[in-house]
Amino acid sequence: MVCGRPRPGERLESAAPWRNGRVRVRGRDDGNRLGAAELGQGLGERATLVQFSSAFCAPCRATRRVLTEVAGMVPGVAHVEIDAERRLGLVRALGIVKTPTVLVLDADGRIVRRATGRPRRVDVIAALGEAV
């Protein structure tokens, strides 16, 4: 599991997605769905923000703050944080290779958006627009 920074000794070129502090965004995940069994809690009424984090990841803490804030602002949106190291089976099944990774789920648990890196509040709100 790689946090949003290169590992010690890793060349910066190999960590290209993080070179400029950009967030990588992908669209729908071919019909993948997540439910309460996978998340450990229920989905939000309108959408769910799922964050995969690791213990020593500084961008993960900042991401948690942004997602918690957005979930509090938008009615029917839940924020679920998953420890990637404890849920390796789910991490592998979803192809998550970096933390933080955020999945935006619609009300039925379908993955509408996926992003790695620390998101901006405005980007999270825009991604929620696709889910609700």
Side-chain angles (χ1 to χ4, degrees):
M1 191 59 46
V2 178
C3 184
R5 300 180 195 169
R7 293 180 187 159
E10 186 176 37
R11 291 182 18 203
L12 190 58
E13 294 81 32
S14 65
W18 311 108
R19 183 176 38 216
N20 297 321
R22 293 185 182 151
V23 173
R24 283 250 164 126
V25 178
R26 283 184 20 200
R28 295 186 182 272
D29 269 44
D30 299 327
N32 282 338
R33 282 188 176 190
L34 297 175
E38 293 86 7
L39 299 177
Q41 68 184 64
L43 297 170
E45 289 178 25
R46 299 174 65 201
T48 305
L49 301 169
V50 180
Q51 175 186 349
F52 287 87
S53 299
S54 53
F56 298 104
C57 171
C60 294
R61 291 189 291 274
T63 298
R64 179 185 315 118
R65 285 191 296 271
V66 169
L67 298 182
T68 300
E69 182 180 330
V70 171
M73 289 174 17
V74 183
V77 174
H79 171 228
V80 177
E81 186 170 4
I82 296 174
D83 183 341
E85 295 169 11
R86 292 185 182 177
R87 302 290 305 277
L88 284 176
L90 183 58
V91 165
R92 288 181 180 130
L94 294 170
I96 293 170
V97 295
K98 293 183 179 358
T99 58
T101 292
V102 177
L103 306 178
V104 179
L105 310 180
D106 65 11
D108 296 325
R110 281 187 301 270
I111 299 172
V112 176
R113 212 42 137 173
R114 170 191 290 243
T116 57
R118 188 179 132 210
R120 297 179 309 161
R121 182 180 338 136
V122 66
D123 296 329
V124 175
I125 293 169
L128 279 173
E130 291 184 42
V132 295

